[in-house]
Amino acid sequence: MQHIHNYYNLYVDLAVEARDLVRGSKDQEIPGVEEKVEQMEQIKINTIIIKDPAAEKTMGRPVGTYVTIESPPLKIRDPYVRDEIIAAMKKSMSLLIGDRLQPGQTVLLVGLGNWRATPDALGPKFIEYSPITRHYHQHAPEALVEGMRPVCGIAPGVLGITGLETFEVIKGIVEKIQPSLLVVVDALAAQNVERIGTTIQMSNTGIQPGAGVGNARHALTEQVLGIPVIAIGCPTIVNAAVIANQAVHSYCVDAGITYQETRALNMVREVLSHFGGSLAVTPKEIDEIIENSAHIISMGVACSLFPDISTEQLELYAT
Amino acid sequence: MQHIHNYYNLYVDLAVEARDLVRGSKDQEIPGVEEKVEQMEQIKINTIIIKDPAAEKTMGRPVGTYVTIESPPLKIRDPYVRDEIIAAMKKSMSLLIGDRLQPGQTVLLVGLGNWRATPDALGPKFIEYSPITRHYHQHAPEALVEGMRPVCGIAPGVLGITGLETFEVIKGIVEKIQPSLLVVVDALAAQNVERIGTTIQMSNTGIQPGAGVGNARHALTEQVLGIPVIAIGCPTIVNAAVIANQAVHSYCVDAGITYQETRALNMVREVLSHFGGSLAVTPKEIDEIIENSAHIISMGVACSLFPDISTEQLELYAT
Amino acid sequence: MQHIHNYYNLYVDLAVEARDLVRGSKDQEIPGVEEKVEQMEQIKINTIIIKDPAAEKTMGRPVGTYVTIESPPLKIRDPYVRDEIIAAMKKSMSLLIGDRLQPGQTVLLVGLGNWRATPDALGPKFIEYSPITRHYHQHAPEALVEGMRPVCGIAPGVLGITGLETFEVIKGIVEKIQPSLLVVVDALAAQNVERIGTTIQMSNTGIQPGAGVGNARHALTEQVLGIPVIAIGCPTIVNAAVIANQAVHSYCVDAGITYQETRALNMVREVLSHFGGSLAVTPKEIDEIIENSAHIISMGVACSLFPDISTEQLELYAT
Amino acid sequence: MQHIHNYYNLYVDLAVEARDLVRGSKDQEIPGVEEKVEQMEQIKINTIIIKDPAAEKTMGRPVGTYVTIESPPLKIRDPYVRDEIIAAMKKSMSLLIGDRLQPGQTVLLVGLGNWRATPDALGPKFIEYSPITRHYHQHAPEALVEGMRPVCGIAPGVLGITGLETFEVIKGIVEKIQPSLLVVVDALAAQNVERIGTTIQMSNTGIQPGAGVGNARHALTEQVLGIPVIAIGCPTIVNAAVIANQAVHSYCVDAGITYQETRALNMVREVLSHFGGSLAVTPKEIDEIIENSAHIISMGVACSLFPDISTEQLELYAT
């Protein structure tokens, strides 16, 4: 959760929310942005492709493909919807990786975030629930099932606890073990509480520090690391500032008065000022939401990386 | 955190906040309410006494004494302010208990809340950090220091996890072990984010379900349990509804337009509707705040119950 | 884990181990003890019935029925063996309860042990993973599935942390809520490391303090509580003394010299003396073993208490 | 805890125990080994210097200085002994580092072990309790106290969970951030249960894989990493094999029969065979022991790295 760790902003983590903001009330196409929606039985898959630098600027996020899987039942422990989501993730991973990963090549999983703060523990828990196999290749190959590639994983912790920039740690490890693909999972901030625990975003653009603030050299991207980077995220919080601002906006609309954005943001800042703007809004079911999301994402990723091996078999390799 | 567990409301847990709401902008006395403020070096102690049924109705909380200790540095792990707060708690406990507890009498500590949800774990952590001695009296009296009374403690969990009402569990235990005093600690909801981790409220009124909703027989009060009940609480969350409503109010005042409360609450409800109104706003430092508050409260209570024994000695008896 | 908490002994928790000790090398029947073995595909079910006071004395445990389910794959997270074990637990619960529980009657689950010490956390985790429904009956009956009885649960903690005897807490709650059945889960100590995480014992005798030491009034039994008590346990540790003693015994046998029990126990005591004899031997996979066992036991119990409801549905009600 | 993770052996982690084994019952000097003992009020400091390759071979551990701080009260939370231990660690760190660390130079702390397995969580908890300052140098220098050097820290996890060799992760990070000193903390296995929680070993030799098995290139040593490495460890377990073997030995001595080592080890292996020899013996107070040890070690290290800053001040920087 790079953004909420560091900055006081209303930055938008989800591409689908950025698109809604750009389009506003006009329901028209955005130049350079291609979009596709598939409605399955219990889930909806939305694919947004940002195709050129102009669209990159409009959308406030880099050229690439963003797949969003939405499913309200994801939030509860629903065994019926699980298989559908895993299948959708498998298909999306295929689309995002293309032919860039060969059988037998090594994959490094990275779980960003802080395992000691519940809404930020999605990444560390993803590592905990993922099947890890690389050490068997080196120390006990007989324990592997035919066709298992080497997969390793790390949760590097957050800057405030380690004093280390995430990209320093990851770049160091990538140089040492030379994986062919990086899959990085992080908790996201949403604009809408309804998205908490119901949305998974996957993209082939890696992870960047907050717009306008960050340093391109500090990103987890193919440009910096030299290998493809798949980023996966789930909204787990809404910034309290977003909610307060929405309430002001709804009030103005309902009362038929003009909403003045600058004034609204100033008032919100004042109300929240005592904790440096870092107030996170989470539902009280957040512990359970994180558990469910981490489990499903780890299985979705594992099924993509080990396409010929059953979910039951893979769970035996989870650490 | 009885209120945020169960009800969608803007209920006020802190007596000092209730007083501010009742007084509004008029800085005048409330009939039947006595108030005293002491300013120490780093902390401020506010004592509110609600004296009669009329004041009980105005203030929305029962007749009794409410002591509030406020100290911004409580939020950080500041060893300098710690001793001053413990001394203030010891003095306040004396005031609240009076001569109703004799040396050698048994005390039962109760930590309300859910240890699996960080902002609600204050009560269970209070039990964890409190010196417990009752079992030594029965099984190893030689391990006790001269003058140690029997103290026991339980964190009964929350209704949603146990299926048991707190008062059922506590009343059952009280009848079995017959303590002379109950000290119950719970996380509170505040109106103001500034209060999170900076305020301790102590009262001799016990704990009641939310105003207008509750059932008097379900309370943890002297009336129900037959022994004095000291309630201690710390604000650890602000309801997201409160913050959103404040933002609307500030906006209206700043823009010079009339604030319409019903309209504002309706808009807030709509914005927050997807999680049943139970959205809690917490600072990201909440884990550390809970640790610090629980430690200080457990030591403040212990120093009151074992007045002749040093803090260092007492820490050896913490479980 | 009543025994390892309190006493330095070589007490035997499992009835099948007690039987082996009584029989020694002679493979003959024990008077007053009836035994039946069923071999399923991946599990073995052993039923021992202690029928009269004489057998009670020989076996060192009370008259009643003891069912032991043994399955080496229980130790790993094996989805294939799970359903077989749950079915076996459902059948055994039926045998142990008989016609003493009617549809709609309330059940209280009790998880003994200390959630802060991994090998002792089986009971608390059992409560965590069990479907709890009693509060829906009182506050939200519309959330219940047809035919769901009221089930509630508590993990009362251990004497060293609460200062409260378990039977005091449970008897108090039983008197308040008047359930028709108690199901109590606890970690056990085994004689053999092979049993850790591979054995589940179920009995209708309740739970008693260690033989010769305990006080009958302090037990969790039907005699004390007035309702049937089903006790379920899994071995999670072996006392280090048992292992050291076994090594001495094996050595003597292998070297062809006489094993002198008193001398052996004295030497073992000396080697272990620095921690009061409470040294527990656990495999390093103990965290995972506890997770798996707690999950399976909670589902096995839930399927018995809600026989018409599917496992998937029940998991939605786990807290 | 490199050794117990990977190998079935009776390897000796502590230099003082290795010395005892080498000397046997003869209380004479070992050639090439220099030793000094200081008895303070509540603690004993033992310094062993292995001076040449011959002594390295005899002692089974590399040339270097090993300081052992022993104090029975370390095991309990005793505020009186704490300051004495911190002072001893500060002095020992000075001896081990010499003039190789200049003011302002960066230090990397490494906490080995698995935070999900209690006796192995010493390293991760050391990182958790250590003051971390490097990120303030880069992002908020105004938050630093005069003279604070950059300190960062990481708990890289264990091979079985990450699939990454520790030295790969650490070497990668060292190359990226180029610290001037590495301090690595790990849980150790002892020969004697009395040492659990009462002994701290500090050395300037780094950390090596188990004797005879390891690969020198995989070590965390100055030779591999290019910077001085201080290794700090606390015994937190005794291998069950050690205890069983001791019991056999004591029995033989007591019974006046010859102890045959090969036979004894074979019998021990048979008794423990069902868990691959990885059975750890821990006292049930292990959670508390780990907490105390991690706290004291983190403060001892911090006081060495920030010699002019008070303990109280440093605790404010602990994460």
Side-chain angles (χ1 to χ4, degrees), chain A residues 190-209:
Chain A
Q191 296 286 308
N192 189 326
V193 290
E194 206 177 349
R195 291 207 172 274
I196 295 178
T198 63
T199 302
I200 298 171
Q201 174 176 281
M202 309 168 72
S203 81
N204 57 7
T205 60
I207 291 215
Q208 318 243 5

Side-chain angles (χ1 to χ4, degrees), chain C residues 129-172:
Chain C
Y129 300 145
S130 287
I132 295 294
T133 55
R134 181 171 175 264
H135 53 311
Y136 293 119
H137 284 267
Q138 302 183 334
H139 298 290
E142 70 283 1
L144 291 165
V145 173
E146 169 76 21
M148 275 194 155
R149 70 170 71 249
V151 171
C152 49
I154 193 163
V158 294
L159 182 63
I161 284 181
T162 63
L164 298 164
E165 306 280 355
T166 299
F167 86 95
E168 293 175 315
V169 176
I170 300 307
K171 194 155 175 38

Side-chain angles (χ1 to χ4, degrees), chain D residues 3-312:
Chain D
H3 309 115
I4 62 152
H5 294 327
N6 303 315
Y7 316 112
Y8 177 80
N9 65 19
L10 299 179
Y11 182 84
V12 179
D13 277 336
L14 289 171
V16 287
E17 292 189 339
R19 176 211 54 195
D20 290 346
L21 287 181
V22 170
R23 285 209 304 217
S25 54
K26 304 155 294 175
D27 199 15
Q28 61 187 40
E29 283 190 20
I30 303 167
V33 175
E34 198 178 297
E35 198 178 337
K36 196 177 73 176
V37 177
E38 288 164 272
Q39 181 66 54
M40 320 290 281
E41 207 173 324
Q42 298 192 73
I43 67 179
K44 192 173 123 187
I45 305 176
N46 192 305
T47 308
I48 292 178
I49 306 178
I50 299 179
K51 299 173 82 169
D52 54 44
E56 180 171 312
K57 213 172 157 194
T58 320
M59 291 285 284
R61 62 203 52 241
V63 162
T65 301
Y66 301 82
V67 180
T68 310
I69 299 172
E70 296 170 64
S71 176
L74 175 55
K75 179 164 63 183
I76 53 169
R77 190 164 18 175
D78 185 336
Y80 307 116
V81 82
R82 192 186 114 121
D83 293 344
E84 207 173 312
I85 292 173
I86 289 174
M89 287 189 67
K90 202 170 164 177
K91 193 174 148 199
S92 306
M93 286 284 281
S94 240
L95 172 74
L96 295 171
I97 300 173
D99 61 357
R100 304 196 57 193
L101 183 69
Q102 305 308 317
Q105 286 187 328
T106 297
V107 175
L108 174 61
L109 311 178
V110 175
L112 299 183
N114 180 359
W115 58 266
R116 287 197 267 145
T118 307
D120 202 17
L122 181 73
K125 282 193 177 284
F126 160 70
I127 299 300
E128 185 176 336
Y129 300 144
S130 287
I132 295 295
T133 55
R134 181 171 175 263
H135 54 310
Y136 292 119
H137 284 267
Q138 302 184 335
H139 298 289
E142 71 282 2
L144 291 165
V145 172
E146 169 76 22
M148 274 194 156
R149 71 170 70 250
V151 171
C152 49
I154 193 163
V158 295
L159 182 64
I161 284 181
T162 64
L164 297 164
E165 304 280 355
T166 299
F167 87 95
E168 293 176 315
V169 177
I170 300 308
K171 194 157 176 37
I173 297 172
V174 165
E175 286 172 8
K176 277 283 149 295
I177 69 162
Q178 307 200 314
S180 300
L181 176 72
L182 198 77
V183 178
V184 55
V185 170
D186 197 7
L188 304 178
Q191 295 287 308
N192 188 326
V193 292
E194 205 177 349
R195 291 208 172 275
I196 295 178
T198 63
T199 303
I200 298 170
Q201 174 176 279
M202 308 168 72
S203 81
N204 56 7
T205 60
I207 291 215
Q208 316 244 5
V213 187
N215 181 330
R217 290 173 302 123
H218 289 191
L220 294 180
T221 58
E222 177 160 7
Q223 202 185 340
V224 169
L225 298 172
I227 52 171
V229 179
I230 303 297
I232 302 178
C234 267
T236 65
I237 66 146
V238 175
N239 193 316
V242 171
I243 284 185
N245 188 41
Q246 282 172 346
V248 173
H249 184 265
S250 296
Y251 181 88
C252 291
V253 171
D254 195 64
I257 58 182
T258 315
Y259 165 76
Q260 300 164 276
E261 189 170 26
T262 310
R263 186 189 301 276
L265 293 180
N266 282 339
M267 291 304 106
V268 165
R269 249 176 221 116
E270 200 180 295
V271 168
L272 299 178
S273 58
H274 301 294
F275 279 88
S278 65
L279 287 159
V281 178
T282 54
K284 70 179 163 63
E285 308 86 342
I286 188 67
D287 296 73
E288 200 185 340
I289 288 173
I290 295 289
E291 285 293 318
N292 291 344
S293 304
H295 260 120
I296 279 194
I297 293 177
S298 63
M299 275 305 123
V301 169
C303 289
S304 310
L305 300 180
F306 305 103
D308 303 330
I309 299 172
S310 73
T311 315
E312 284 76 15

Side-chain angles (χ1 to χ4, degrees), chain B residues 5 14 24 70 88 111 118 126 164 173 177 213 221 247 253 275 280 285 289 293 311:
Chain B
H5 294 326
L14 289 171
E70 296 171 63
T118 307
F126 160 71
L164 297 164
I173 297 172
I177 69 162
V213 187
T221 57
V253 170
F275 279 88
E285 307 88 340
I289 288 174
S293 304
T311 315

Side-chain angles (χ1 to χ4, degrees), chain A residues 98-114:
Chain A
D99 61 356
R100 304 197 56 194
L101 183 69
Q102 305 308 317
Q105 287 187 328
T106 297
V107 175
L108 174 61
L109 311 178
V110 174
L112 299 183
N114 180 358

Side-chain angles (χ1 to χ4, degrees), chain C residues 251-317:
Chain C
Y251 181 88
C252 291
V253 171
D254 194 64
I257 57 181
T258 315
Y259 165 77
Q260 300 164 276
E261 189 170 27
T262 310
R263 186 187 301 278
L265 293 180
N266 283 338
M267 291 305 105
V268 165
R269 249 175 223 115
E270 201 181 294
V271 168
L272 299 177
S273 59
H274 302 294
F275 279 89
S278 65
L279 287 158
V281 178
T282 55
K284 70 178 163 64
E285 307 88 340
I286 188 67
D287 296 72
E288 200 185 340
I289 288 174
I290 296 290
E291 285 293 319
N292 291 344
S293 303
H295 260 119
I296 280 195
I297 293 177
S298 63
M299 275 305 124
V301 169
C303 290
S304 310
L305 300 180
F306 305 103
D308 302 330
I309 300 172
S310 73
T311 316
E312 284 76 15
Q313 188 83 49
L314 286 173
E315 285 195 340
L316 298 178
Y317 286 81

